[in-house]
Amino acid sequence: MEQQDLGRFFQKGELIPAIVQEKSTGEVLMLAYMNQESLRLTLETGYTWFFSRSRQELWNKGATSGHLQRVLEIYGDCDDDTLLVLVEQTGPACHTGAHSCFFQRLK
């Protein structure tokens, strides 16, 4: 996808939510945000890059922990305002050590 085509995902704001799902199991691993630069880096490198809202900087998922996410497929939703990123996960996806960030059942 060309760089100028990526802009369509950022018409509503500078950040877009990215749902990360493990392709082999279908398990939703995490939700993070991408800006245009992190989406470009993800497409170029084949590994997930996100924009940290708290630190206000780019981060490569697993760069320090080794728990990398190799990108297999990326889909935009029907409104171009959410991404679904299918990955091959190495190790846990959550900073707590859990495989998925979604382990706290509410109901």
Side-chain angles (χ1 to χ4, degrees), residues 19-30:
I19 301 163
V20 180
Q21 182 179 26
E22 189 169 38
K23 184 170 183 177
S24 64
T25 65
E27 185 175 13
V28 174
L29 300 175
M30 57 182 281

Side-chain angles (χ1 to χ4, degrees), residues 89-106:
Q89 177 69 42
T90 302
C94 185
H95 74 280
T96 66
H99 186 69
S100 168
C101 292
F102 297 98
F103 58 87
Q104 298 184 67
R105 185 174 180 154
L106 300 181

Side-chain angles (χ1 to χ4, degrees), residues 27-64:
E27 185 175 13
V28 174
L29 300 175
M30 57 182 281
L31 175 115
Y33 291 86
M34 289 185 171
N35 64 7
Q36 198 159 340
E37 178 72 5
S38 63
L39 179 54
R40 182 187 63 76
L41 286 167
T42 296
L43 291 167
E44 285 179 4
T45 66
Y47 290 88
T48 54
W49 284 80
F50 301 105
F51 185 81
S52 170
R53 297 179 301 164
S54 59
R55 295 187 316 264
Q56 291 292 297
E57 65 183 18
L58 293 172
W59 58 283
N60 176 217
K61 177 66 176 167
T64 56

